[in-house]
């Protein structure tokens, strides 16, 4: 666990992660002492730490993360809690129903804070960021699946073009896919810089957006594809809603249109006798929060309640 040790010893900045829209989420979940709450996306435990305080004493908190290094950081931050039961689970939140059934728990509140956090993005070993050179991996759970390099070295150009459009609204999808194919004919893609070079070769300088790095959309799309982040999301959202106790709420924070569309459609399909949509329109962070935490800028919060 060299990586973990270097993180644990790193400056406090590594741990600075302001939980996004935490006030709005606490208000809408309205947790009280003794409640059961599930954080499906533990990350650094920012929301979970607040949930622990909200259900104290006598409450139960279950946190999931599919990334074992995040789970260990969260575990260290949470520490020992004497008057709240805390279960930290190294699993995909898409397996939430089974875990809750095993624990015989019906949550009063569930949060999914989708995507990944800055500690994951900034770690060059993971190959998620285009800012530093690293192996082109991008997997959240490196014990499973294929690294991004393997996927990009074999994917059909049409499928890559589709993913770039679908997962990141990339206008230059076809040109980028063409560059990837041309480059891998010369030699296989290995590092994050190899992919950045393909993007630079595909997008003319004059056409690049000023606001964001030209590789931002490509890296987002490839990451979503490699981790299958949207596969089974609809089913997972529905299963989470159905797992709630009567009167319980499911809050979901999403950060791009592909995710938000899925959440919105599932909520609509559930809106019947049993569920009511609390957020007719998604809630967004205040200007103050966006100024203080730029990661929150694209957040959309949708909430559904079991009657
Ligand atoms: C945006 S961060 C959560 C940050 C957290 N709310 C906090 O305040 O510290 C998302 C986390 O969810 C995890 N994650 C994303 N998709 C997941 C999935 N399908 N199952 C389990 N964990 C997932 C990521 O590894 C990451 O640690």
């Amino acid at each position: 666990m060299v990586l973990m040790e270097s993180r644990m010893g790193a400056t406090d900045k590594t741990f600075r992660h302001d939980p996004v829209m935490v006030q709005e989420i606490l208000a809408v979940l309205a947790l009280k002492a003794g409640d059961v709450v599930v954080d499906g996306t533990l990350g650094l435990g920012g929301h979970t730490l607040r949930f622990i305080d909200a259900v104290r004493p006598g409450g139960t908190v279950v946190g999931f993360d599919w990334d074992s290094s995040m789970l260990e950081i969260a575990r260290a931050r949470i520490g020992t809690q004497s008057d709240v039961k805390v279960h930290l689970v190294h699993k995909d939140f898409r397996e939430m129903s089974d875990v809750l059934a095993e624990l015989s728990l019906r949550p009063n509140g569930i949060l999914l804070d989708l995507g990944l956090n800055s500690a994951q993005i900034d770690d060059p070993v993971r190959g998620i960021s285009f800012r530093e050179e690293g192996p082109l991996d991008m997997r959240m759970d490196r014990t499973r699946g294929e690294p991004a390099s393997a996927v990009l070295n074999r994917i059909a150009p049409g499928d890559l073009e589709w993913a770039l459009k679908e997962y990141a609204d990339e206008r230059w999808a076809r040109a980028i896919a063409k560059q990837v194919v041309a480059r891998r004919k010369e030699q296989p893609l290995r590092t994050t810089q190899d992919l950045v070079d393909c993007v630079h070769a595909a997008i003319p300088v004059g056409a690049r957006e000023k606001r964001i790095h030209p590789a931002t959309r490509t890296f987002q799309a490839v990451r979503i594809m490699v981790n299958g982040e949207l596969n089974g999301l609809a089913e997972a959202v529905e299963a989470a809603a159905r797992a709630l106790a009567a009167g319980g709420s499911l809050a979901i924070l999403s950060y791009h249109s592909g995710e938000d569309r899925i959440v919105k459609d599932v909520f609509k399909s559930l809106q019947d006798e049993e569920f009511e949509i609390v957020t007719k329109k998604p809630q967004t962070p205040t200007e103050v929060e966006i100024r203080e935490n730029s990661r929150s800028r694209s957040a959309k919060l949708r909430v559904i309640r079991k009657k």
Side-chain angles (χ1 to χ4, degrees), residues 116 125-129 135-142 146-149 152 192 195 218-224 226-227 229:
L116 65 174
V125 173
R126 292 169 175 275
I128 291 172
S129 171
L136 190 54
D137 191 319
M138 300 203 190
R139 281 172 300 170
M140 292 293 118
D141 182 348
R142 278 171 284 174
E146 281 183 299
S149 53
L152 290 171
T192 49
L195 184 56
T218 297
F219 272 66
Q220 174 181 305
V222 174
R223 190 203 85 217
I224 290 172
V226 164
N227 292 295
E229 287 176 37

Side-chain angles (χ1 to χ4, degrees), residues 17-20 22 39-49 64-68 70-71 74 77 89-95 111-118 120 126 140-141 227-229 231 233 236 253 255 295:
H17 174 83
D18 304 317
V20 172
V22 68
D39 186 344
T41 49
L42 195 55
L44 302 179
H47 290 97
T48 288
L49 283 165
F64 289 80
D65 208 298
W66 59 3
D67 180 336
S68 56
M70 288 300 110
L71 204 72
R77 291 189 80 199
V89 189
H90 180 211
K91 279 206 163 129
D92 190 317
F93 64 68
R94 289 172 276 201
E95 297 170 56
L111 170 68
L112 298 180
D113 178 8
L114 299 174
L116 65 174
N117 62 51
S118 36
Q120 290 168 307
R126 292 169 175 275
M140 292 293 118
D141 182 348
N227 292 295
E229 287 176 37
N231 303 345
L233 180 60
L253 276 171
Y255 297 88
R295 195 190 103 75

Side-chain angles (χ1 to χ4, degrees), residues 9-249:
T11 61
D12 192 40
K13 189 172 166 284
T14 319
F15 290 126
R16 291 289 296 282
H17 174 83
D18 304 317
V20 172
M21 298 186 74
V22 68
Q23 296 306 343
E24 291 86 344
I25 290 166
L26 286 170
V28 82
L29 294 185
L31 298 167
K32 53 185 189 323
D35 273 355
V36 174
V37 60
V38 175
D39 186 344
T41 49
L42 195 55
L44 302 179
H47 290 97
T48 288
L49 283 165
R50 305 295 293 273
F51 294 161
I52 288 173
D53 287 339
V55 300
R56 191 189 305 283
T60 303
V61 179
V62 186
F64 289 80
D65 208 298
W66 59 3
D67 180 336
S68 56
S69 13
M70 288 300 110
L71 204 72
E72 291 317 311
I73 293 174
R75 196 186 299 283
R77 291 189 80 199
I78 292 165
T80 312
Q81 303 283 335
S82 51
D83 44 6
V84 175
K85 269 197 201 129
V86 180
H87 303 271
L88 300 183
V89 189
H90 180 211
K91 279 206 163 129
D92 190 317
F93 64 68
R94 289 172 276 201
E95 297 170 56
M96 185 187 292
S97 305
D98 292 345
V99 173
L100 293 177
E102 260 172 50
L103 294 169
S104 306
L105 291 174
R106 281 235 166 245
N108 306 97
I110 301 177
L111 170 68
L112 298 180
D113 178 8
L114 299 174
L116 65 174
N117 62 51
S118 36
Q120 290 168 307
I121 298 172
D122 296 342
D123 184 349
V125 173
R126 292 169 175 275
I128 291 172
S129 171
F130 44 79
R131 296 193 192 283
E132 281 187 75
E133 182 149 30
L136 190 54
D137 191 319
M138 300 203 190
R139 281 172 300 170
M140 292 293 118
D141 182 348
R142 278 171 284 174
T143 64
R144 295 191 199 190
E146 281 183 299
S149 53
V151 175
L152 290 171
N153 285 324
R154 65 157 170 73
I155 192 170
D159 291 347
L160 179 54
E161 180 185 341
W162 178 88
L164 292 167
K165 284 188 189 150
E166 181 71 14
Y167 299 150
D169 302 319
E170 175 55 70
R171 285 196 304 133
W172 294 88
R174 182 165 300 175
I176 295 166
K178 242 172 121 179
Q179 283 297 332
V180 168
V181 172
R183 200 180 167 99
R184 76 189 185 198
K185 273 191 192 144
E186 310 264 308
Q187 54 176 339
L189 278 76
R190 280 187 318 105
T191 70
T192 49
Q193 190 59 46
D194 293 340
L195 184 56
V196 171
D197 291 345
C198 294
V199 175
H200 278 144
I203 311 181
V205 176
R208 293 181 194 166
E209 284 179 61
K210 308 257 171 323
R211 210 172 42 86
I212 59 169
H213 188 288
T216 306
R217 292 180 199 279
T218 297
F219 272 66
Q220 174 181 305
V222 174
R223 190 203 85 217
I224 290 172
M225 179 171 65
V226 164
N227 292 295
E229 287 176 37
L230 300 189
N231 303 345
L233 180 60
E235 291 77 4
V237 170
E238 176 170 350
R242 295 206 185 280
L244 287 166
S249 298

